[in-house]
Amino acid sequence: MLVDRRTKYINRTKPNGVKVISASQPTDAVLLARAHLSLVAGSCVGEQADLTALSALVAEVGPIEASNRISSGDFVFASKNAMSGGGAVGLARRHLEEIGRCGGRLVVPEDAEWPGERLAPPSEGGRRDRGSGEPLALWVRGPHCLSEFLGKAVAVTGARAASPYGVQVASEFGSDLAANGVTVVAGGAYGIDEAAHRGALTTDGRTVAVLPCGVDVAYPVGNSVLLERISREGLLISEYSPGVVPARQRFLARNRIVAACSDGLVVVEAGRRSGTSYTARITAVLGRVVMAVPGPITSATSVGCLELMRDGRAIPVGSTEDILKALQSRTDGVGGNRTMPASQAVRPEAAS
């Protein structure tokens, strides 16, 4: 048997103490298959055609059969995939054991903890397409239910080399949003992300860090104490298996998850070409509200925000009240950003 990754809010136990496998509790076979598919997807980074084909396969035949076809060689990728052999299943099993030992778990679409439609991006026609862009699984560390934690969430992100002004604004937004019952989502990075996480924690509020690596990997190293605190009081989540280290394309994938986990995005500071600009594009594709903080026209870290507002791609916000009003307007169907076609969500030259 695999290490039990189930937490108190999804346990189902009969009076005689026997655990019941229900719709909220995926079988070990499903968990192992999803862990294997997570490994395979992680090896497809930068190969969009392979990722699309993998997602389509899982949507067509289900995770167990998809895993079997890949490990047996019946399904062949366009490019070489190091995790497509049978030995990868054994590695996936070890990853499930490792995540259990560090107090984490693998959350899968078959689980009641899965955030459901929030993670399924719309197609070009505006319909939900669960076979394109949705994570195959999420590795999670933290004591809270993922779907409940993301019930009302805002991403606060921006430049790593943030100005004192940006750090102050991000910290205040993080604190005030958390005090209003909003989960603060960010990427755990230096600068704006770090300030937003810390702000949320100062009020004992909710915060989620989406990582470009395994949830057992402290990245960036300088934020290791912060990330460990988030793993105890909030949630760390990642598409990538335990032990996976950051890589350029993984930052872009991380930013996609940040956008998908949130009802809206607040860009506090950003350069002209940055991963934050990509996050804003993906947020617009998802039909979520994009917001930006006005900054000095003389500041390089405000150029990205000013461009977003100038082009009509972001709503200017200067307070937590502005953010909450923008989110409410989206809920009411008034104002906000128009959904951007997915074809316009091109990748930037740099990731943050």
Side-chain angles (χ1 to χ4, degrees):
M1 293 291 290
L2 300 174
V3 173
D4 189 359
R5 38 73 70 198
R6 302 172 184 106
T7 48
K8 61 182 180 181
Y9 41 79
I10 56 175
N11 275 337
R12 299 292 183 269
T13 308
K14 289 182 178 180
N16 60 6
V18 177
K19 287 187 176 180
V20 179
I21 303 297
S22 67
S24 64
Q25 191 167 288
T27 64
D28 284 343
V30 168
L31 285 172
L32 181 58
R34 289 282 182 181
H36 175 220
L37 294 170
S38 175
L39 265 176
V40 173
S43 295
C44 290
V45 171
E47 302 293 341
Q48 189 56 48
D50 284 346
L51 283 171
T52 301
L54 176 60
S55 295
L57 175 67
V58 176
E60 178 185 358
V61 303
I64 295 177
E65 179 61 21
S67 175
N68 289 338
R69 291 188 186 184
I70 292 169
S71 60
S72 66
D74 291 340
F75 181 83
V76 181
F77 291 96
S79 57
K80 184 177 180 180
N81 190 296
M83 295 299 170
S84 60
V89 176
L91 181 57
R93 185 184 297 274
R94 291 195 293 275
H95 283 161
L96 287 170
E97 294 170 349
E98 290 169 8
I99 197 68
R101 284 194 292 269
C102 72
R105 58 199 181 276
L106 181 65
V107 178
V108 299
E110 293 80 8
D111 197 323
E113 192 183 354
W114 188 255
E117 291 301 305
R118 179 180 284 281
L119 296 179
S123 67
E124 289 283 358
R127 297 186 303 272
R128 293 284 180 177
D129 179 5
R130 295 183 66 85
S132 175
E134 182 183 26
L136 295 172
L138 288 172
W139 300 86
V140 179
R141 285 180 66 195
H144 307 284
C145 174
L146 181 60
S147 60
E148 292 178 1
F149 229 51
L150 296 180
K152 186 177 182 181
V154 170
V156 180
T157 190
R160 287 173 293 178
S163 70
Y165 163 79
V167 169
Q168 179 182 349
V169 171
S171 179
E172 290 179 358
F173 281 176
S175 175
D176 292 346
L177 286 168
N180 279 274
V182 178
T183 297
V184 176
V185 180
Y190 295 131
I192 298 302
D193 289 32
E194 174 186 4
H197 287 308
R198 293 188 187 280
L201 290 171
T202 60
T203 61
D204 296 323
R206 297 180 169 190
T207 190
V208 173
V210 185
L211 304 182
C213 53
V215 293
D216 61 333
V217 176
Y219 183 87
V221 176
N223 281 349
S224 58
V225 174
L226 172 64
L227 295 173
E228 188 62 30
R229 182 180 176 186
I230 293 174
S231 76
R232 297 192 306 269
E233 301 177 25
L235 289 175
L236 300 179
I237 67 175
S238 175
E239 284 188 276
Y240 301 108
S241 306
V244 171
V245 297
R248 180 181 180 276
Q249 295 295 331
R250 291 177 183 140
F251 286 97
L252 297 175
R254 182 272 309 274
N255 293 354
R256 174 175 57 85
I257 300 299
V258 167
C261 284
S262 310
D263 296 301
L265 169 73
V266 180
V267 181
V268 178
E269 286 187 322
R272 177 173 281 108
R273 294 182 180 274
S274 68
T276 301
S277 299
Y278 174 68
T279 311
R281 292 189 182 99
I282 293 300
T283 301
V285 167
L286 294 171
R288 317 281 169 81
V289 61
V290 180
M291 296 159 277
V293 177
I297 61 174
T298 55
S299 172
T301 55
S302 290
V303 172
C305 294
L306 295 173
E307 285 187 345
L308 287 171
M309 291 182 285
R310 181 197 65 199
D311 297 341
R313 291 182 287 142
I315 300 169
V317 292
S319 67
T320 302
E321 183 180 4
D322 289 344
I323 297 171
L324 296 176
K325 284 182 177 178
L327 293 176
Q328 188 60 48
S329 295
R330 172 183 174 272
T331 302
D332 295 340
V334 179
N337 310 106
R338 294 176 297 175
T339 301
M340 179 188 293
S343 59
Q344 294 183 22
V346 295
R347 290 181 175 179
E349 294 180 359
S352 63

